[in-house]
PDB file of all heavy atoms in Angstrom:
ATOM      1  N   ALA A 111       4.305 -15.032   2.032  1.00 95.00           N
ATOM      2  CA  ALA A 111       5.684 -15.131   1.513  1.00 95.00           C
ATOM      3  C   ALA A 111       6.092 -16.531   1.348  1.00 95.00           C
ATOM      4  O   ALA A 111       5.663 -17.504   2.036  1.00 95.00           O
ATOM      5  CB  ALA A 111       6.605 -14.456   2.667  1.00 95.00           C
ATOM      6  N   SER A 112       6.957 -16.739   0.309  1.00 93.00           N
ATOM      7  CA  SER A 112       7.427 -18.036   0.000  1.00 93.00           C
ATOM      8  C   SER A 112       8.892 -17.959  -0.348  1.00 93.00           C
ATOM      9  O   SER A 112       9.394 -16.941  -0.648  1.00 93.00           O
ATOM     10  CB  SER A 112       6.508 -18.704  -1.023  1.00 93.00           C
ATOM     11  OG  SER A 112       6.624 -17.952  -2.281  1.00 93.00           O
ATOM     12  N   GLY A 113       9.445 -19.262  -0.490  1.00 91.00           N
ATOM     13  CA  GLY A 113      10.984 -19.233  -0.859  1.00 91.00           C
ATOM     14  C   GLY A 113      11.685 -19.579   0.382  1.00 91.00           C
ATOM     15  O   GLY A 113      11.266 -20.263   1.328  1.00 91.00           O
ATOM     16  N   THR A 114      12.998 -19.110   0.297  1.00 87.00           N
ATOM     17  CA  THR A 114      13.973 -19.414   1.429  1.00 87.00           C
ATOM     18  C   THR A 114      13.718 -18.386   2.499  1.00 87.00           C
ATOM     19  O   THR A 114      14.089 -17.259   2.527  1.00 87.00           O
ATOM     20  CB  THR A 114      15.339 -19.306   0.965  1.00 87.00           C
ATOM     21  OG1 THR A 114      15.557 -20.168  -0.156  1.00 87.00           O
ATOM     22  CG2 THR A 114      16.319 -19.622   2.026  1.00 87.00           C
ATOM     23  N   ILE A 115      12.947 -18.828   3.543  1.00 87.00           N
ATOM     24  CA  ILE A 115      12.510 -17.951   4.670  1.00 87.00           C
ATOM     25  C   ILE A 115      13.127 -18.440   5.828  1.00 87.00           C
ATOM     26  O   ILE A 115      12.970 -19.572   6.301  1.00 87.00           O
ATOM     27  CB  ILE A 115      11.027 -18.001   4.845  1.00 87.00           C
ATOM     28  CG1 ILE A 115      10.337 -17.227   3.629  1.00 87.00           C
ATOM     29  CG2 ILE A 115      10.621 -17.120   6.076  1.00 87.00           C
ATOM     30  CD1 ILE A 115       8.851 -17.393   3.500  1.00 87.00           C
ATOM     31  N   LEU A 116      14.008 -17.582   6.490  1.00 87.00           N
ATOM     32  CA  LEU A 116      14.628 -17.847   7.790  1.00 87.00           C
ATOM     33  C   LEU A 116      13.780 -17.228   8.884  1.00 87.00           C
ATOM     34  O   LEU A 116      13.368 -17.839   9.820  1.00 87.00           O
ATOM     35  CB  LEU A 116      16.123 -17.379   7.805  1.00 87.00           C
ATOM     36  CG  LEU A 116      16.814 -18.196   6.667  1.00 87.00           C
ATOM     37  CD1 LEU A 116      18.215 -17.576   6.755  1.00 87.00           C
ATOM     38  CD2 LEU A 116      17.056 -19.548   6.841  1.00 87.00           C
ATOM     39  N   ARG A 117      13.907 -15.890   8.750  1.00 88.00           N
ATOM     40  CA  ARG A 117      12.988 -15.063   9.735  1.00 88.00           C
ATOM     41  C   ARG A 117      12.732 -13.765   9.134  1.00 88.00           C
ATOM     42  O   ARG A 117      13.612 -13.073   8.640  1.00 88.00           O
ATOM     43  CB  ARG A 117      13.749 -14.861  11.053  1.00 88.00           C
ATOM     44  CG  ARG A 117      12.985 -14.025  11.998  1.00 88.00           C
ATOM     45  CD  ARG A 117      13.808 -13.937  13.331  1.00 88.00           C
ATOM     46  NE  ARG A 117      13.052 -13.158  14.272  1.00 88.00           N
ATOM     47  CZ  ARG A 117      13.647 -12.807  15.513  1.00 88.00           C
ATOM     48  NH1 ARG A 117      14.808 -13.162  15.801  1.00 88.00           N
ATOM     49  NH2 ARG A 117      12.757 -12.195  16.378  1.00 88.00           N
ATOM     50  N   LEU A 118      11.364 -13.558   8.996  1.00 88.00           N
ATOM     51  CA  LEU A 118      11.001 -12.189   8.373  1.00 88.00           C
ATOM     52  C   LEU A 118      10.903 -11.182   9.569  1.00 88.00           C
ATOM     53  O   LEU A 118       9.859 -11.301  10.272  1.00 88.00           O
ATOM     54  CB  LEU A 118       9.679 -12.387   7.646  1.00 88.00           C
ATOM     55  CG  LEU A 118       9.794 -13.347   6.463  1.00 88.00           C
ATOM     56  CD1 LEU A 118       8.320 -13.655   5.854  1.00 88.00           C
ATOM     57  CD2 LEU A 118      10.646 -12.839   5.314  1.00 88.00           C
ATOM     58  N   ASN A 119      11.850 -10.422   9.685  1.00 91.00           N
ATOM     59  CA  ASN A 119      11.874  -9.534  10.782  1.00 91.00           C
ATOM     60  C   ASN A 119      10.716  -8.609  10.880  1.00 91.00           C
ATOM     61  O   ASN A 119      10.104  -8.159  11.864  1.00 91.00           O
ATOM     62  CB  ASN A 119      13.198  -8.719  10.876  1.00 91.00           C
ATOM     63  CG  ASN A 119      14.434  -9.609  10.748  1.00 91.00           C
ATOM     64  OD1 ASN A 119      14.960  -9.942   9.737  1.00 91.00           O
ATOM     65  ND2 ASN A 119      14.812 -10.073  11.938  1.00 91.00           N
ATOM     66  N   VAL A 120      10.400  -8.018   9.620  1.00 95.00           N
ATOM     67  CA  VAL A 120       9.236  -7.044   9.510  1.00 95.00           C
ATOM     68  C   VAL A 120       8.481  -7.453   8.317  1.00 95.00           C
ATOM     69  O   VAL A 120       8.948  -7.913   7.204  1.00 95.00           O
ATOM     70  CB  VAL A 120       9.828  -5.677   9.333  1.00 95.00           C
ATOM     71  CG1 VAL A 120       8.594  -4.751   9.219  1.00 95.00           C
ATOM     72  CG2 VAL A 120      10.692  -5.264  10.446  1.00 95.00           C
ATOM     73  N   MET A 121       7.238  -7.424   8.357  1.00 96.00           N
ATOM     74  CA  MET A 121       6.274  -7.452   7.293  1.00 96.00           C
ATOM     75  C   MET A 121       5.351  -6.365   7.390  1.00 96.00           C
ATOM     76  O   MET A 121       4.973  -5.895   8.393  1.00 96.00           O
ATOM     77  CB  MET A 121       5.425  -8.853   7.331  1.00 96.00           C
ATOM     78  CG  MET A 121       6.296 -10.071   7.114  1.00 96.00           C
ATOM     79  SD  MET A 121       5.331 -11.551   6.933  1.00 96.00           S
ATOM     80  CE  MET A 121       4.997 -11.369   5.217  1.00 96.00           C
ATOM     81  N   GLY A 122       5.050  -5.836   6.096  1.00 97.00           N
ATOM     82  CA  GLY A 122       4.172  -4.699   6.210  1.00 97.00           C
ATOM     83  C   GLY A 122       3.534  -4.297   4.832  1.00 97.00           C
ATOM     84  O   GLY A 122       3.665  -5.160   3.939  1.00 97.00           O
ATOM     85  N   TRP A 123       2.867  -3.150   4.771  1.00 98.00           N
ATOM     86  CA  TRP A 123       2.100  -2.762   3.696  1.00 98.00           C
ATOM     87  C   TRP A 123       2.553  -1.235   3.336  1.00 98.00           C
ATOM     88  O   TRP A 123       2.567  -0.429   4.230  1.00 98.00           O
ATOM     89  CB  TRP A 123       0.635  -2.765   3.851  1.00 98.00           C
ATOM     90  CG  TRP A 123       0.194  -4.244   3.968  1.00 98.00           C
ATOM     91  CD1 TRP A 123      -0.025  -4.994   5.122  1.00 98.00           C
ATOM     92  CD2 TRP A 123      -0.164  -5.056   2.861  1.00 98.00           C
ATOM     93  NE1 TRP A 123      -0.430  -6.206   4.781  1.00 98.00           N
ATOM     94  CE2 TRP A 123      -0.623  -6.330   3.496  1.00 98.00           C
ATOM     95  CE3 TRP A 123      -0.324  -4.879   1.483  1.00 98.00           C
ATOM     96  CZ2 TRP A 123      -1.001  -7.476   2.650  1.00 98.00           C
ATOM     97  CZ3 TRP A 123      -0.734  -5.934   0.725  1.00 98.00           C
ATOM     98  CH2 TRP A 123      -1.030  -7.203   1.291  1.00 98.00           C
ATOM     99  N   TYR A 124       2.765  -0.993   2.104  1.00 98.00           N
ATOM    100  CA  TYR A 124       2.939   0.385   1.647  1.00 98.00           C
ATOM    101  C   TYR A 124       1.845   0.620   0.624  1.00 98.00           C
ATOM    102  O   TYR A 124       1.293  -0.340   0.086  1.00 98.00           O
ATOM    103  CB  TYR A 124       4.355   0.529   0.998  1.00 98.00           C
ATOM    104  CG  TYR A 124       5.442   0.546   2.029  1.00 98.00           C
ATOM    105  CD1 TYR A 124       5.819  -0.526   2.766  1.00 98.00           C
ATOM    106  CD2 TYR A 124       6.209   1.772   2.265  1.00 98.00           C
ATOM    107  CE1 TYR A 124       6.909  -0.504   3.647  1.00 98.00           C
ATOM    108  CE2 TYR A 124       7.250   1.892   3.150  1.00 98.00           C
ATOM    109  CZ  TYR A 124       7.634   0.671   3.746  1.00 98.00           C
ATOM    110  OH  TYR A 124       8.576   0.724   4.728  1.00 98.00           O
ATOM    111  N   ARG A 125       1.655   1.914   0.235  1.00 98.00           N
ATOM    112  CA  ARG A 125       0.854   2.174  -0.908  1.00 98.00           C
ATOM    113  C   ARG A 125       1.283   3.340  -1.635  1.00 98.00           C
ATOM    114  O   ARG A 125       2.074   4.200  -1.200  1.00 98.00           O
ATOM    115  CB  ARG A 125      -0.653   2.546  -0.296  1.00 98.00           C
ATOM    116  CG  ARG A 125      -0.695   3.714   0.525  1.00 98.00           C
ATOM    117  CD  ARG A 125      -2.095   3.999   1.070  1.00 98.00           C
ATOM    118  NE  ARG A 125      -2.163   5.194   1.784  1.00 98.00           N
ATOM    119  CZ  ARG A 125      -3.372   5.476   2.640  1.00 98.00           C
ATOM    120  NH1 ARG A 125      -4.421   4.600   2.565  1.00 98.00           N
ATOM    121  NH2 ARG A 125      -3.335   6.586   3.352  1.00 98.00           N
ATOM    122  N   GLN A 126       0.903   3.390  -2.941  1.00 98.00           N
ATOM    123  CA  GLN A 126       1.222   4.585  -3.784  1.00 98.00           C
ATOM    124  C   GLN A 126       0.103   4.906  -4.579  1.00 98.00           C
ATOM    125  O   GLN A 126      -0.382   4.115  -5.396  1.00 98.00           O
ATOM    126  CB  GLN A 126       2.494   4.081  -4.688  1.00 98.00           C
ATOM    127  CG  GLN A 126       3.032   5.180  -5.511  1.00 98.00           C
ATOM    128  CD  GLN A 126       4.332   4.717  -6.184  1.00 98.00           C
ATOM    129  OE1 GLN A 126       4.649   3.725  -6.228  1.00 98.00           O
ATOM    130  NE2 GLN A 126       5.141   5.858  -6.636  1.00 98.00           N
ATOM    131  N   ALA A 127      -0.320   6.205  -4.456  1.00 96.00           N
ATOM    132  CA  ALA A 127      -1.477   6.695  -5.172  1.00 96.00           C
ATOM    133  C   ALA A 127      -0.774   7.472  -6.437  1.00 96.00           C
ATOM    134  O   ALA A 127       0.413   7.814  -6.286  1.00 96.00           O
ATOM    135  CB  ALA A 127      -2.218   7.680  -4.307  1.00 96.00           C
ATOM    136  N   PRO A 128      -1.534   7.601  -7.436  1.00 91.00           N
ATOM    137  CA  PRO A 128      -1.041   8.246  -8.647  1.00 91.00           C
ATOM    138  C   PRO A 128      -0.438   9.685  -8.381  1.00 91.00           C
ATOM    139  O   PRO A 128      -1.027  10.433  -7.675  1.00 91.00           O
ATOM    140  CB  PRO A 128      -2.216   8.484  -9.566  1.00 91.00           C
ATOM    141  CG  PRO A 128      -3.132   7.316  -9.235  1.00 91.00           C
ATOM    142  CD  PRO A 128      -2.895   7.221  -7.676  1.00 91.00           C
ATOM    143  N   GLY A 129       0.741   9.906  -8.722  1.00 93.00           N
ATOM    144  CA  GLY A 129       1.418  11.135  -8.562  1.00 93.00           C
ATOM    145  C   GLY A 129       2.098  11.255  -7.194  1.00 93.00           C
ATOM    146  O   GLY A 129       2.676  12.381  -6.895  1.00 93.00           O
ATOM    147  N   ASN A 130       1.904  10.257  -6.390  1.00 95.00           N
ATOM    148  CA  ASN A 130       2.590  10.316  -4.961  1.00 95.00           C
ATOM    149  C   ASN A 130       3.674   9.324  -4.784  1.00 95.00           C
ATOM    150  O   ASN A 130       3.787   8.463  -5.639  1.00 95.00           O
ATOM    151  CB  ASN A 130       1.440  10.006  -3.881  1.00 95.00           C
ATOM    152  CG  ASN A 130       0.353  11.176  -3.832  1.00 95.00           C
ATOM    153  OD1 ASN A 130       0.492  12.159  -4.493  1.00 95.00           O
ATOM    154  ND2 ASN A 130      -0.638  10.877  -2.968  1.00 95.00           N
ATOM    155  N   LYS A 131       4.379   9.573  -3.840  1.00 97.00           N
ATOM    156  CA  LYS A 131       5.524   8.655  -3.387  1.00 97.00           C
ATOM    157  C   LYS A 131       4.805   7.502  -2.766  1.00 97.00           C
ATOM    158  O   LYS A 131       3.869   7.647  -2.170  1.00 97.00           O
ATOM    159  CB  LYS A 131       6.480   9.434  -2.590  1.00 97.00           C
ATOM    160  CG  LYS A 131       7.284  10.509  -3.248  1.00 97.00           C
ATOM    161  CD  LYS A 131       8.310  11.088  -2.294  1.00 97.00           C
ATOM    162  CE  LYS A 131       9.087  12.180  -2.958  1.00 97.00           C
ATOM    163  NZ  LYS A 131      10.160  12.801  -2.036  1.00 97.00           N
ATOM    164  N   ARG A 132       5.597   6.365  -2.838  1.00 97.00           N
ATOM    165  CA  ARG A 132       5.198   5.245  -1.912  1.00 97.00           C
ATOM    166  C   ARG A 132       5.291   5.573  -0.472  1.00 97.00           C
ATOM    167  O   ARG A 132       6.308   6.123   0.046  1.00 97.00           O
ATOM    168  CB  ARG A 132       6.017   3.937  -2.334  1.00 97.00           C
ATOM    169  CG  ARG A 132       5.388   2.678  -1.743  1.00 97.00           C
ATOM    170  CD  ARG A 132       6.202   1.454  -2.308  1.00 97.00           C
ATOM    171  NE  ARG A 132       6.209   1.311  -3.742  1.00 97.00           N
ATOM    172  CZ  ARG A 132       6.615   0.252  -4.486  1.00 97.00           C
ATOM    173  NH1 ARG A 132       7.230  -0.704  -3.868  1.00 97.00           N
ATOM    174  NH2 ARG A 132       6.457   0.228  -5.825  1.00 97.00           N
ATOM    175  N   GLU A 133       4.315   5.144   0.244  1.00 97.00           N
ATOM    176  CA  GLU A 133       4.365   5.554   1.704  1.00 97.00           C
ATOM    177  C   GLU A 133       3.967   4.245   2.557  1.00 97.00           C
ATOM    178  O   GLU A 133       3.233   3.396   2.185  1.00 97.00           O
ATOM    179  CB  GLU A 133       3.362   6.618   2.030  1.00 97.00           C
ATOM    180  CG  GLU A 133       1.914   6.306   1.717  1.00 97.00           C
ATOM    181  CD  GLU A 133       0.916   7.366   2.219  1.00 97.00           C
ATOM    182  OE1 GLU A 133       1.395   8.446   2.591  1.00 97.00           O
ATOM    183  OE2 GLU A 133      -0.346   7.171   2.055  1.00 97.00           O
ATOM    184  N   LEU A 134       4.488   4.295   3.783  1.00 98.00           N
ATOM    185  CA  LEU A 134       4.260   3.189   4.675  1.00 98.00           C
ATOM    186  C   LEU A 134       2.760   3.255   5.053  1.00 98.00           C
ATOM    187  O   LEU A 134       2.349   4.423   5.527  1.00 98.00           O
ATOM    188  CB  LEU A 134       5.139   3.287   5.959  1.00 98.00           C
ATOM    189  CG  LEU A 134       4.826   2.254   7.039  1.00 98.00           C
ATOM    190  CD1 LEU A 134       5.164   0.912   6.601  1.00 98.00           C
ATOM    191  CD2 LEU A 134       5.580   2.740   8.363  1.00 98.00           C
ATOM    192  N   VAL A 135       2.001   2.292   5.165  1.00 98.00           N
ATOM    193  CA  VAL A 135       0.703   2.130   5.719  1.00 98.00           C
ATOM    194  C   VAL A 135       0.796   1.504   7.089  1.00 98.00           C
ATOM    195  O   VAL A 135       0.270   2.056   8.040  1.00 98.00           O
ATOM    196  CB  VAL A 135      -0.241   1.268   4.792  1.00 98.00           C
ATOM    197  CG1 VAL A 135      -1.698   1.165   5.498  1.00 98.00           C
ATOM    198  CG2 VAL A 135      -0.286   1.863   3.384  1.00 98.00           C
ATOM    199  N   ALA A 136       1.293   0.305   7.109  1.00 98.00           N
ATOM    200  CA  ALA A 136       1.468  -0.357   8.450  1.00 98.00           C
ATOM    201  C   ALA A 136       2.515  -1.444   8.348  1.00 98.00           C
ATOM    202  O   ALA A 136       2.765  -1.987   7.247  1.00 98.00           O
ATOM    203  CB  ALA A 136       0.115  -0.933   8.831  1.00 98.00           C
ATOM    204  N   SER A 137       3.087  -1.729   9.497  1.00 97.00           N
ATOM    205  CA  SER A 137       4.123  -2.754   9.570  1.00 97.00           C
ATOM    206  C   SER A 137       4.050  -3.456  10.984  1.00 97.00           C
ATOM    207  O   SER A 137       3.511  -2.906  11.832  1.00 97.00           O
ATOM    208  CB  SER A 137       5.532  -2.314   9.404  1.00 97.00           C
ATOM    209  OG  SER A 137       5.981  -1.343  10.251  1.00 97.00           O
ATOM    210  N   GLU A 138       4.561  -4.669  10.872  1.00 96.00           N
ATOM    211  CA  GLU A 138       4.588  -5.471  12.137  1.00 96.00           C
ATOM    212  C   GLU A 138       5.918  -6.314  12.165  1.00 96.00           C
ATOM    213  O   GLU A 138       6.178  -6.963  11.199  1.00 96.00           O
ATOM    214  CB  GLU A 138       3.333  -6.426  12.195  1.00 96.00           C
ATOM    215  CG  GLU A 138       3.322  -7.140  13.548  1.00 96.00           C
ATOM    216  CD  GLU A 138       2.011  -7.915  13.713  1.00 96.00           C
ATOM    217  OE1 GLU A 138       0.984  -7.689  12.947  1.00 96.00           O
ATOM    218  OE2 GLU A 138       1.924  -8.743  14.664  1.00 96.00           O
ATOM    219  N   THR A 139       6.500  -6.201  13.313  1.00 94.00           N
ATOM    220  CA  THR A 139       7.659  -7.072  13.523  1.00 94.00           C
ATOM    221  C   THR A 139       7.410  -8.587  13.844  1.00 94.00           C
ATOM    222  O   THR A 139       6.154  -8.874  14.155  1.00 94.00           O
ATOM    223  CB  THR A 139       8.553  -6.423  14.611  1.00 94.00           C
ATOM    224  OG1 THR A 139       7.833  -6.723  15.936  1.00 94.00           O
ATOM    225  CG2 THR A 139       8.789  -4.884  14.322  1.00 94.00           C
ATOM    226  N   SER A 140       8.358  -9.335  13.827  1.00 91.00           N
ATOM    227  CA  SER A 140       8.165 -10.710  14.171  1.00 91.00           C
ATOM    228  C   SER A 140       7.751 -10.959  15.609  1.00 91.00           C
ATOM    229  O   SER A 140       7.093 -11.971  15.986  1.00 91.00           O
ATOM    230  CB  SER A 140       9.487 -11.541  13.910  1.00 91.00           C
ATOM    231  OG  SER A 140      10.497 -10.996  14.595  1.00 91.00           O
ATOM    232  N   SER A 141       8.013  -9.974  16.423  1.00 91.00           N
ATOM    233  CA  SER A 141       7.568 -10.088  17.879  1.00 91.00           C
ATOM    234  C   SER A 141       6.270  -9.399  18.169  1.00 91.00           C
ATOM    235  O   SER A 141       5.807  -9.393  19.355  1.00 91.00           O
ATOM    236  CB  SER A 141       8.718  -9.436  18.711  1.00 91.00           C
ATOM    237  OG  SER A 141       8.873  -8.100  18.436  1.00 91.00           O
ATOM    238  N   GLY A 142       5.632  -8.818  17.127  1.00 91.00           N
ATOM    239  CA  GLY A 142       4.286  -8.235  17.272  1.00 91.00           C
ATOM    240  C   GLY A 142       4.176  -6.768  17.367  1.00 91.00           C
ATOM    241  O   GLY A 142       3.097  -6.146  17.579  1.00 91.00           O
ATOM    242  N   GLY A 143       5.279  -6.053  17.421  1.00 95.00           N
ATOM    243  CA  GLY A 143       5.273  -4.538  17.318  1.00 95.00           C
ATOM    244  C   GLY A 143       4.723  -4.055  16.178  1.00 95.00           C
ATOM    245  O   GLY A 143       4.984  -4.550  14.994  1.00 95.00           O
ATOM    246  N   THR A 144       3.860  -3.028  16.128  1.00 97.00           N
ATOM    247  CA  THR A 144       3.113  -2.585  15.071  1.00 97.00           C
ATOM    248  C   THR A 144       3.539  -1.074  14.907  1.00 97.00           C
ATOM    249  O   THR A 144       3.751  -0.347  15.868  1.00 97.00           O
ATOM    250  CB  THR A 144       1.731  -2.719  15.035  1.00 97.00           C
ATOM    251  OG1 THR A 144       1.061  -2.147  16.261  1.00 97.00           O
ATOM    252  CG2 THR A 144       1.320  -4.209  15.024  1.00 97.00           C
ATOM    253  N   ASN A 145       3.343  -0.593  13.586  1.00 97.00           N
ATOM    254  CA  ASN A 145       3.603   0.810  13.349  1.00 97.00           C
ATOM    255  C   ASN A 145       2.585   1.169  12.278  1.00 97.00           C
ATOM    256  O   ASN A 145       2.337   0.436  11.272  1.00 97.00           O
ATOM    257  CB  ASN A 145       4.969   0.981  12.922  1.00 97.00           C
ATOM    258  CG  ASN A 145       5.235   2.528  12.583  1.00 97.00           C
ATOM    259  OD1 ASN A 145       4.661   3.378  13.236  1.00 97.00           O
ATOM    260  ND2 ASN A 145       6.069   2.767  11.517  1.00 97.00           N
ATOM    261  N   TYR A 146       1.868   2.295  12.398  1.00 98.00           N
ATOM    262  CA  TYR A 146       0.835   2.768  11.472  1.00 98.00           C
ATOM    263  C   TYR A 146       1.121   4.099  11.092  1.00 98.00           C
ATOM    264  O   TYR A 146       1.428   4.976  11.788  1.00 98.00           O
ATOM    265  CB  TYR A 146      -0.647   2.660  12.082  1.00 98.00           C
ATOM    266  CG  TYR A 146      -1.077   1.303  12.353  1.00 98.00           C
ATOM    267  CD1 TYR A 146      -0.924   0.641  13.610  1.00 98.00           C
ATOM    268  CD2 TYR A 146      -1.835   0.469  11.462  1.00 98.00           C
ATOM    269  CE1 TYR A 146      -1.379  -0.655  13.971  1.00 98.00           C
ATOM    270  CE2 TYR A 146      -2.296  -0.731  11.692  1.00 98.00           C
ATOM    271  CZ  TYR A 146      -2.059  -1.308  12.938  1.00 98.00           C
ATOM    272  OH  TYR A 146      -2.603  -2.584  13.214  1.00 98.00           O
ATOM    273  N   ALA A 147       0.627   4.355   9.831  1.00 97.00           N
ATOM    274  CA  ALA A 147       0.614   5.821   9.374  1.00 97.00           C
ATOM    275  C   ALA A 147      -0.537   6.493  10.108  1.00 97.00           C
ATOM    276  O   ALA A 147      -1.561   5.820  10.308  1.00 97.00           O
ATOM    277  CB  ALA A 147       0.290   5.846   7.788  1.00 97.00           C
ATOM    278  N   GLY A 148      -0.309   7.678  10.415  1.00 97.00           N
ATOM    279  CA  GLY A 148      -1.296   8.399  11.119  1.00 97.00           C
ATOM    280  C   GLY A 148      -2.689   8.498  10.403  1.00 97.00           C
ATOM    281  O   GLY A 148      -3.718   8.452  11.106  1.00 97.00           O
ATOM    282  N   SER A 149      -2.694   8.383   9.013  1.00 97.00           N
ATOM    283  CA  SER A 149      -3.970   8.618   8.297  1.00 97.00           C
ATOM    284  C   SER A 149      -4.747   7.302   8.353  1.00 97.00           C
ATOM    285  O   SER A 149      -5.969   7.386   8.024  1.00 97.00           O
ATOM    286  CB  SER A 149      -3.637   8.884   6.841  1.00 97.00           C
ATOM    287  OG  SER A 149      -2.839   7.941   6.273  1.00 97.00           O
ATOM    288  N   VAL A 150      -4.181   6.301   8.889  1.00 98.00           N
ATOM    289  CA  VAL A 150      -5.039   4.959   8.834  1.00 98.00           C
ATOM    290  C   VAL A 150      -5.130   4.406  10.293  1.00 98.00           C
ATOM    291  O   VAL A 150      -5.937   3.487  10.430  1.00 98.00           O
ATOM    292  CB  VAL A 150      -4.220   3.834   8.084  1.00 98.00           C
ATOM    293  CG1 VAL A 150      -3.956   4.340   6.620  1.00 98.00           C
ATOM    294  CG2 VAL A 150      -3.003   3.357   8.676  1.00 98.00           C
ATOM    295  N   LYS A 151      -4.648   5.161  11.307  1.00 98.00           N
ATOM    296  CA  LYS A 151      -4.792   4.628  12.682  1.00 98.00           C
ATOM    297  C   LYS A 151      -6.196   4.596  13.033  1.00 98.00           C
ATOM    298  O   LYS A 151      -6.976   5.569  12.771  1.00 98.00           O
ATOM    299  CB  LYS A 151      -4.091   5.479  13.648  1.00 98.00           C
ATOM    300  CG  LYS A 151      -2.538   5.235  13.639  1.00 98.00           C
ATOM    301  CD  LYS A 151      -1.866   6.046  14.734  1.00 98.00           C
ATOM    302  CE  LYS A 151      -0.380   5.762  14.810  1.00 98.00           C
ATOM    303  NZ  LYS A 151       0.363   6.644  15.885  1.00 98.00           N
ATOM    304  N   GLY A 152      -6.689   3.522  13.654  1.00 97.00           N
ATOM    305  CA  GLY A 152      -8.060   3.489  14.097  1.00 97.00           C
ATOM    306  C   GLY A 152      -8.928   2.805  13.021  1.00 97.00           C
ATOM    307  O   GLY A 152     -10.133   2.404  13.251  1.00 97.00           O
ATOM    308  N   ARG A 153      -8.426   2.858  11.795  1.00 98.00           N
ATOM    309  CA  ARG A 153      -9.282   2.231  10.702  1.00 98.00           C
ATOM    310  C   ARG A 153      -8.633   0.882  10.105  1.00 98.00           C
ATOM    311  O   ARG A 153      -9.333   0.047   9.722  1.00 98.00           O
ATOM    312  CB  ARG A 153      -9.360   3.295   9.482  1.00 98.00           C
ATOM    313  CG  ARG A 153     -10.007   4.667   9.942  1.00 98.00           C
ATOM    314  CD  ARG A 153     -10.267   5.456   8.760  1.00 98.00           C
ATOM    315  NE  ARG A 153      -9.070   5.893   8.103  1.00 98.00           N
ATOM    316  CZ  ARG A 153      -8.884   5.636   6.719  1.00 98.00           C
ATOM    317  NH1 ARG A 153      -9.786   4.935   6.010  1.00 98.00           N
ATOM    318  NH2 ARG A 153      -7.732   6.003   6.248  1.00 98.00           N
ATOM    319  N   PHE A 154      -7.395   0.859  10.063  1.00 98.00           N
ATOM    320  CA  PHE A 154      -6.651  -0.279   9.429  1.00 98.00           C
ATOM    321  C   PHE A 154      -6.055  -1.181  10.573  1.00 98.00           C
ATOM    322  O   PHE A 154      -5.588  -0.492  11.569  1.00 98.00           O
ATOM    323  CB  PHE A 154      -5.642   0.075   8.620  1.00 98.00           C
ATOM    324  CG  PHE A 154      -6.024   0.727   7.320  1.00 98.00           C
ATOM    325  CD1 PHE A 154      -7.424   1.111   7.070  1.00 98.00           C
ATOM    326  CD2 PHE A 154      -5.126   1.045   6.199  1.00 98.00           C
ATOM    327  CE1 PHE A 154      -7.802   1.698   5.865  1.00 98.00           C
ATOM    328  CE2 PHE A 154      -5.550   1.565   5.021  1.00 98.00           C
ATOM    329  CZ  PHE A 154      -6.914   1.913   4.838  1.00 98.00           C
TER     330      PHE A 154
END
């Protein structure tokens, strides 16, 4: 990330496969809390 950055509360990754909606893959808060899609837990 670049530009005017004060505090990025959450950073994460989404993905979109052809014909599918964009979905959350994983995210992390500024304090270290994480969230994963069930399909990637244990692998990502």
Side-chain angles (χ1 to χ4, degrees):
S112 61
T114 304
I115 297 172
L116 301 176
R117 181 180 182 182
L118 297 172
N119 303 95
V120 182
M121 296 188 78
W123 293 93
Y124 286 68
R125 68 186 180 187
Q126 187 168 17
N130 290 357
K131 294 181 179 179
R132 191 174 297 188
E133 62 176 3
L134 172 70
V135 177
S137 63
E138 183 169 349
T139 67
S140 56
S141 58
T144 58
N145 183 34
Y146 291 92
S149 59
V150 308
K151 279 184 180 177
R153 300 188 298 122
F154 292 9

